[in-house]
Amino acid sequence: GAGRRDYALYCASCPGAGGDGDGPMAVTLDPRPARHSDAEYMAGLSDADLFRVIQEGGAAMGKSPLMAAWGGTLSEDQIRGLVAFIRTLAEPSPTAED
């Protein structure tokens, strides 16, 4: 969907396509990007937190100022789509038995 496409386009260079914190730009960043695939870490963040950090950037949330503010580029609907997609990255992976 649109959230997956926007994540690949705007986000994946830092946290990586799977949200593991290992995108191509990750090695240049200090602190390193958030791991969107880390269910425990992500459980501590509300959807409102995720929306705000995407819209306003890392500094607005007391996070890295290197995290860009996308509010001037992305619509609120696009940001909501990103939040929904990011939530899927921390879901447990299905096992072979499933």
Side-chain angles (χ1 to χ4, degrees):
R4 178 186 298 275
R5 183 192 65 235
D6 285 344
Y7 190 86
L9 189 60
Y10 298 106
C11 309
S13 63
C14 292
D20 295 323
D22 61 355
M25 295 296 295
V27 296
T28 69
L29 301 174
D30 184 17
R32 297 293 286 270
R35 294 186 65 231
H36 299 144
S37 60
D38 181 338
E40 189 174 335
Y41 172 76
M42 294 303 292
L45 298 172
S46 70
D47 287 354
D49 290 337
L50 295 175
F51 186 97
R52 185 171 174 213
V53 78
I54 294 167
Q55 186 177 55
E56 299 179 23
M61 295 292 291
K63 303 287 186 187
S64 173
L66 299 173
M67 164 66 195
W70 291 101
T73 303
L74 301 173
S75 71
E76 290 190 3
D77 281 345
Q78 283 178 294
I79 296 172
R80 280 190 283 276
L82 279 169
V83 170
F85 175 71
I86 288 167
R87 288 290 183 205
T88 72
L89 296 173
E91 291 175 357
S93 299
T95 61
E97 292 80 31
D98 288 346

